[in-house]
């Protein structure tokens, strides 16, 4: 596989804020050694965005993008087991390039102790490429195969195909920050955040569902960050909702709470060095991520701790 490309990004201050323009062109060529046809693609992408000053502390950002993505080699030619995801992947060498139109509108406000950030987005994708489970015998359950790709109900691998269809995505991100203490040796701030995305096909897929597989559920959270002389710490709690909007051959995931914390101490040496302690999933909650192929067999790690030393050389 050979890839070449060129891109240009320009930025111009204006009386109302700032204007950003960008464009790129990319050429990809795949020449398999044997058994598959060579494919060549050219992708053209361009974007325009503006930052509007609504006031001294408030800004509105609008961006429009046309982006083209060429199929990766595995999406074209894969035909074999993928051990990390316990899937047997089958590519499609007739794939076309993706063409997406993306629109995003965001606002931020910074004044005194308060910071507000938020954005909404909508993306329309023609010929969207995604990996999906297969139900070849129409029994309502995903097919399983052995490492050679032969059908086997007790096989170690889930049979998956790279598919292509028109799709759309929309969602939002928002956060509010507040500086509880911003003067003196002790600095303390908190942040509340949320995000959500919805992805669906324009028409029902082979198994009769318009939902795209492995979409992140809606999340909400709060974090607290502190800094005192050489000490710095952070603790965050994220609540992930249950994912009910699943593709036909997927399994739903329950909601979960994820509590993480870290503490670091900067050492008084000439080079930047620190000791740190990190705790993950401190509630030891059962976490099965909607984005994982192996969520039914292997949940995310339970409660764990990491102690380490970091130095910048």
């Amino acid at each position: 596989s050979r890839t070449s490309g060129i891109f240009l990004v320009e930025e111009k201050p204006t009386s109302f804020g700032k204007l950003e323009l960008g464009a790129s062109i990319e050429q990809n060529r795949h020449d398999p050694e044997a058994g598959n046809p060579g494919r060549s693609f050219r992708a053209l992408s361009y974007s325009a965005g503006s930052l509007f000053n609504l006031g001294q502390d408030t800004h509105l950002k609008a961006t429009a993008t046309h982006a083209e993505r060429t199929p990766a080699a595995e999406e074209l030619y894969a035909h074999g087991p993928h051990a990390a995801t316990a899937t047997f992947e089958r590519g499609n060498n007739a794939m076309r390039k993706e063409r997406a139109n993306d629109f995003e509108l965001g606002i931020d406000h910074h004044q005194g102790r308060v910071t507000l950030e938020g954005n909404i987005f909508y993306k329309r994708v023609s010929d969207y490429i995604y990996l999906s489970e297969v139900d070849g015998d129409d029994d309502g359950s995903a097919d399983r195969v052995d490492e050679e790709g032969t059908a086997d109900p007790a096989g170690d691998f889930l049979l998956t195909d790279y598919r292509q269809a028109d799709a759309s995505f929309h969602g939002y991100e928002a956060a509010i920050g507040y500086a509880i203490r911003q003067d003196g040796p002790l600095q303390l701030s908190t942040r509340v955040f949320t995000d959500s995305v919805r992805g669906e096909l324009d028409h029902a897929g082979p198994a009769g569902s318009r939902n795209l597989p492995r979409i992140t559920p809606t999340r909400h959270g709060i974090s607290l960050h502190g800094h005192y002389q050489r000490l710095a710490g952070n603790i965050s709690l994220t609540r992930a909702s249950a994912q009910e909007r699943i593709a036909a051959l997927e399994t739903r995931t329950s909601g979960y709470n994820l509590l993480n914390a870290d503490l670091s101490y900067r050492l008084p040496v000439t080079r930047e060095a620190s000791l740190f302690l990190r705790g993950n999933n401190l509630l030891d909650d059962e976490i099965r991520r909607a984005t994982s192929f192996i969520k039914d067999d292997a949940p995310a790690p339970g409660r764990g701790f990491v102690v380490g030393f970091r130095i910048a050389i």
Side-chain angles (χ1 to χ4, degrees):
S1 297
R2 296 177 178 84
T3 300
S4 59
I6 187 171
F7 68 91
L8 176 69
V9 177
E10 291 290 339
E11 182 178 292
K12 180 177 176 58
T14 66
S15 58
F16 58 80
K18 183 171 60 176
L19 179 65
E20 299 173 346
L21 299 172
S24 69
I25 186 169
E26 183 179 290
Q27 181 74 35
N28 290 322
R29 174 71 188 177
H30 302 285
D31 294 304
E33 291 182 355
N36 284 288
R39 296 294 307 278
S40 181
F41 301 92
R42 181 175 296 160
L44 176 64
S45 301
Y46 45 87
S47 65
S50 293
L51 182 67
F52 300 94
N53 296 324
L54 301 182
Q56 183 177 356
D57 305 305
T58 307
H59 309 93
L60 179 70
K61 186 173 184 178
T63 305
T65 303
H66 173 81
E68 297 181 353
R69 186 183 78 86
T70 65
E74 59 270 22
E75 294 168 340
L76 292 168
Y77 305 118
H79 190 85
H82 187 172
T85 58
T87 57
F88 189 99
E89 297 181 2
R90 299 190 302 193
N92 180 355
N93 58 38
M95 288 279 188
R96 301 173 296 277
K97 64 182 179 183
E98 289 182 352
R99 301 178 307 282
N101 293 312
D102 189 359
F103 304 94
E104 186 169 339
L105 187 66
I107 190 169
D108 66 83
H109 176 78
H110 306 267
Q111 186 175 22
R113 297 174 181 268
V114 179
T115 299
L116 303 175
E117 299 173 325
N119 70 285
I120 56 175
F121 64 89
Y122 174 78
K123 177 182 287 190
R124 178 79 173 79
V125 189
S126 298
D127 295 324
Y128 177 70
I129 299 173
Y130 64 103
L131 189 60
S132 179
E133 292 87 342
V134 176
D135 181 15
D137 51 13
D138 294 323
D139 64 353
S141 61
D143 295 345
R144 303 197 69 86
V145 297
D146 60 20
E147 63 181 8
E148 301 298 328
T150 303
D152 181 357
D156 293 330
F157 299 97
L158 186 69
L159 183 61
T160 58
D161 282 346
Y162 281 103
R163 294 188 173 126
Q164 193 162 44
D166 296 342
S168 62
F169 299 82
H170 62 269
Y172 68 84
E173 297 173 326
I176 302 174
Y178 181 75
I180 301 171
R181 289 182 60 94
Q182 56 184 358
D183 299 317
L186 174 62
Q187 299 176 20
L188 196 62
S189 62
T190 187
R191 183 173 180 265
V192 178
F193 55 90
T194 180
D195 60 71
S196 181
V197 62
R198 176 85 168 96
E200 57 185 350
L201 300 167
D202 285 6
H203 306 285
S209 174
R210 290 183 57 190
N211 294 322
L212 280 167
R214 288 166 295 282
I215 297 295
T216 302
T218 299
R219 299 179 297 184
H220 314 282
I222 185 170
S223 65
L224 182 67
H225 177 77
H227 187 93
Y228 179 74
Q229 296 180 352
R230 297 183 179 275
L231 278 172
N234 184 79
I235 185 169
S236 66
L237 175 64
T238 301
R239 172 63 187 177
S241 302
Q243 182 54 284
E244 305 281 357
R245 294 171 172 171
I246 56 176
L249 299 175
E250 271 193 295
T251 54
R252 66 178 299 278
T253 53
S254 301
Y256 60 83
N257 298 307
L258 177 62
L259 180 64
N260 292 335
D262 62 77
L263 182 68
S264 65
Y265 177 75
R266 184 166 52 86
L267 298 173
V269 295
T270 55
R271 297 184 183 274
E272 184 178 342
S274 61
L275 296 171
F276 65 87
L277 170 65
R278 184 180 303 125
N280 302 313
N281 192 10
L282 295 178
L283 300 177
D284 201 26
D285 212 352
E286 181 178 308
I287 297 176
R288 298 185 184 272
R289 301 189 187 279
T291 54
S292 171
F293 274 104
I294 59 174
K295 58 181 179 289
D296 295 327
D297 299 316
R303 183 185 298 117
F305 298 91
V306 177
V307 177
F309 170 71
R310 183 185 297 112
I311 184 171
I313 299 177

